Amino acid sequence: MDNKYDVVIVGGGPAGLSAGIYTARDKLKTLLIEKGIIGGKITEAELVDNFPGYPQGISGLELTGKMHQQATKFGLKELNAEVISVEVDNERRVVKTTAGDFIARALIIAGGSDWFKLGVPGEKELTGRGVSYCSTCDAPLFADKHVAVIGGGDTALFEALHLAKFAARVTVIHRRDEFRAFIAVQEKAFAEPKIELLLNTVVEAIEGQDVVQRLRLKRADSGKKYVLEVDGVFIAVGLKPNTDYLREVLPLDEQGRIIVDSGMRTKVAAVFAAGDIRSNSIRQTIAAAGDGAIAAITAKNDIEQ
Ligand code: NAP
């Protein structure tokens, strides 16, 4: 495989795919590197109903599938590999991956995020045995069962709504008494009779013999501790940017996100960041796609100066 490119894009979610559509269409030789599945985290969303142009809504998988098709049509090349490190000097950016090294005139980092862990006893041991981070993947396993969802953002409530199609009972456990999710999503979730809410409540441990059987809970206000019997628990407590390998290369903000200017330039010449991975992102699919377009146009202008 060729190892020299005008543009290398790290990450195949909406930001990376959008950047790829722009650079490939502009005849820049472009390689997109993705370690998981093309489309990124949003492929787990059953319904995206706020992306302009889809009044009936569209699944994340279908939406990113269309982006992928469009980028490929313009000649985007792709590689399934994990980026291990990035080395930058004045002339070139070297991207070291599990499938070899690639040299780029411009590098666009759009590697998104991974799920945060709750960090309680039992979580790691019971992952795949009742602990899950993806209802789209695992909801059918909980038909007619009682499941808990931890978190108060859009992901948690979308997970709860999806789970309600299968499970007998869905308990959303949130550490505060106000949700972070959009009001429209809250209204939908609260109208679902199978969904019940446990507010001001934190999970202290996940327990069970071989599979999840119960949660040890604590009221955040009174400190009262009790046990809730469940058959599964879906954890949706936010996203951690995939920037560990960049700590020595690029300035990051306190949450580990990449600091960029309005053109998506990082502090390092010809290195750009787009989507959830960049500082102050509003973490929406449409914004990620917009970031990708901006990064691609700025990259083209900068390297062709
Ligand atoms: P998020 O908005 O960051 O919400 C994370 C939730 O987890 C918050 O309610 C937070 O509580 C809670 N939390 C964090 N750490 C916790 C801990 N240690 N213990 C208990 N609870 C904890 O993350 P998200 O819901 O994954 O959403 C991420 C972004 O994706 C958002 O911008 C969202 O709008 C977007 N999104 C969009 C869609 C869609 O449009 N289809 C679907 C999913 C997500 P606090 O509120 O107390 O901080």
Side-chain angles (χ1 to χ4, degrees), residues 19-292:
I21 289 169
Y22 274 75
T23 57
R25 183 171 172 272
D26 260 339
K27 307 276 180 241
L28 293 171
K29 189 178 161 195
T30 304
L31 176 70
L32 183 149
I33 304 171
E34 166 61 55
K35 68 175 177 183
I37 66 161
I38 295 279
K41 279 271 162 300
I42 196 68
T43 57
E44 292 169 17
E46 195 183 5
L47 180 70
V48 179
D49 61 359
N50 54 3
F51 196 93
Y54 296 95
Q56 308 306 321
I58 183 168
S59 77
L61 193 63
E62 198 185 344
L63 178 62
T64 53
K66 285 176 188 286
M67 294 179 188
H68 184 202
Q69 195 185 2
Q70 199 171 352
T72 308
K73 186 186 84 179
F74 289 126
L76 177 77
K77 298 278 175 285
E78 60 201 51
L79 172 75
N80 185 238
E82 182 165 359
V83 176
I84 297 158
S85 64
V86 168
E87 285 171 16
V88 180
D89 64 31
N90 288 343
E91 295 302 313
R92 51 187 213 159
R93 283 123 287 278
V94 181
V95 183
K96 301 197 165 212
T97 81
T98 48
D101 297 355
F102 298 89
I103 297 164
R105 292 170 69 202
L107 172 61
I108 299 176
I109 299 168
S113 329
D114 269 334
W115 302 120
F116 265 123
K117 305 288 182 280
L118 200 52
V120 297
E123 179 180 17
K124 199 168 167 199
E125 298 79 354
L126 292 168
T127 291
R129 290 190 280 153
V131 173
S132 172
Y133 300 83
C134 174
S135 70
T136 309
C137 322
D138 297 332
L141 304 174
F142 297 91
D144 302 323
K145 305 251 167 115
H146 178 200
V147 294
V149 175
I150 319 300
D154 285 310
T155 304
L157 295 189
F158 272 121
E159 298 253 304
L161 282 163
H162 184 60
L163 283 160
K165 294 180 188 161
F166 300 85
R169 185 178 163 204
V170 181
T171 305
V172 176
I173 302 174
H174 180 35
R175 64 182 177 184
R176 292 188 298 135
D177 60 0
E178 268 178 29
F179 283 85
R180 193 177 283 273
F182 283 113
I183 297 292
V185 182
Q186 292 188 35
E187 283 173 356
K188 245 190 207 172
F190 303 163
E192 166 54 56
K194 283 189 190 172
I195 294 178
E196 59 191 28
L197 308 176
L198 272 184
L199 304 182
N200 288 313
T201 302
V202 295
V203 178
E204 291 201 311
I206 303 168
E207 294 181 346
Q209 189 126 31
D210 296 328
V211 293
V212 170
Q213 290 171 313
R214 72 195 82 83
L215 301 176
R216 293 211 168 267
L217 303 178
K218 186 172 126 185
R219 290 282 310 180
D221 41 10
S222 65
K224 188 181 161 222
K225 296 189 179 199
Y226 61 107
V227 166
L228 180 74
E229 292 194 357
V230 293
D231 302 296
V233 53
F234 287 77
I235 297 169
V237 294
L239 297 158
K240 175 184 181 299
N242 287 319
T243 52
D244 287 349
Y245 70 96
L246 293 167
R247 283 189 185 280
E248 307 299 319
V249 187
L250 295 176
L252 306 176
D253 69 13
E254 63 283 359
Q255 286 150 2
R257 297 194 159 84
I258 302 167
I259 296 166
V260 290
D261 70 9
S262 58
M264 302 300 142
R265 290 182 191 89
T266 70
K267 304 270 184 200
V268 174
V271 179
F272 307 83
D276 288 12
I277 203 162
R278 62 104 167 160
S279 195
N280 295 321
S281 160
I282 57 164
R283 294 186 290 165
Q284 297 295 301
T285 306
I286 184 67
D291 279 6

